[in-house]
Amino acid sequence: MALMNAIAIITAAELASDLAGENPPVLLDVRWQLSVAKAAGAPAFDGRAAYEAGHLPGAVFVDLDADLAGPAGAAGRHPLPDVASFGAVMRRAGVSADRDVVVYDGGQGWAAARTWWMLRWTGHPSVRVLDGGLAVWEGPLETATPSPEPGTFEPAPGAVALLDADGAAALARTGTLLDARAAERYRGDVEPIDRVGGHIPGAVSAPTTENVAGDGRFLPAEELASRFKSLGASGGSDAVGVYCGSGVSGAHEVLALAVAGIDAALYVGSWSEWSSDESRPVATGPDPQ
């Protein structure tokens, strides 16, 4: 599998320069928020409404739940989408393999990272995430919905590593499996969404929120590399994997690892899939085991 460190992020200043150039990138707006309130029946965050209120000029809205995931079920809350349908969405957004893509969200980075990972997994060679998202953009916004020229991107899954439940369980024993959720969910102190709290036995707590500064931008690559090394993930020949609740914040940790120069596999089903199967073991407390 190819290392996913092919310039994984882009600054707002760099993006402004690229947009003013002769071959501007395709822009994808993927605003989304994990809503605990939604799990309780309250209305979820409306990413499309946020997009329509103002977005980067030329950006096309992508719906994480509808376009970047299949129906929720036994495979988790955000399982992989139908690949052909995903490809069609990307082509409608103007994505082609020979044109750069830049993805952004409201600033948290999770949804943008999921899009980045999906495009990388399906073989797109040049995808970057706007570091800090819309929150750090100082340029103009627009409300018009663009009609881009259709792209030609044809997804070819398998370009980067993917884990299933059995693979994640094995990696927790033979390599380093990082749990990107909040530490209290890892320990099992609370579980606001899934059937049971805790973590995959052998997994190491590594909240992805600790990979960014207060403004949502990633810490410097050297700091990230040092953090991951302290957690047992230094790259090289040692395999590294990541999971979270449903393969969204985990993608953000995979992106942070890429910034640090470390290749990592994503367990897309994550805790929402693992915990739904009562036959799978659950560890609690701060100890990985």
Side-chain angles (χ1 to χ4, degrees), residues 41-197:
F45 171 78
D46 191 336
R48 183 174 291 278
Y51 166 83
E52 292 174 349
H55 52 266
L56 268 64
V60 175
F61 179 71
V62 175
D63 187 311
L64 186 147
D65 292 313
D67 301 328
L68 303 178
R77 283 192 306 281
H78 293 103
L80 290 172
D82 174 77
V83 171
S85 298
F86 171 73
V89 168
M90 292 297 102
R91 289 191 294 275
R92 286 197 299 271
V95 174
S96 297
D98 60 355
R99 187 177 176 191
D100 293 348
V101 177
V102 172
V103 189
Y104 72 91
D105 57 26
Q108 185 182 48
W110 294 6
R114 171 72 176 226
T115 318
W116 168 83
W117 185 87
M118 281 293 307
L119 281 165
R120 293 290 287 153
W121 178 66
T122 52
H124 197 289
S126 181
V127 190
R128 291 171 289 175
V129 168
L130 174 59
D131 193 17
L134 186 65
V136 302
W137 178 255
E138 297 180 353
L141 300 178
E142 69 177 20
T143 57
T145 300
S147 299
E149 189 74 22
T152 59
F153 179 65
E154 293 290 344
V160 296
L162 172 68
L163 292 172
D164 60 12
D166 290 341
L171 183 58
R173 302 299 183 190
T174 62
T176 302
L177 181 65
L178 301 177
D179 184 319
R181 298 172 301 157
E184 58 268 25
R185 292 184 70 189
Y186 170 90
R187 294 191 301 267
D189 298 345
V190 298
E191 181 44 63
I193 305 175
D194 293 314
R195 183 185 66 82
V196 64

Side-chain angles (χ1 to χ4, degrees), residues 13-55:
E14 290 168 339
L15 177 57
S17 177
D18 285 1
L19 290 174
E22 294 184 359
N23 298 297
V26 172
L27 284 177
L28 303 180
D29 182 311
V30 199
R31 271 177 275 182
W32 172 89
Q33 290 180 10
L34 174 65
S35 176
V36 175
K38 181 181 178 183
F45 171 78
D46 191 336
R48 183 174 291 278
Y51 166 83
E52 292 174 349
H55 52 266

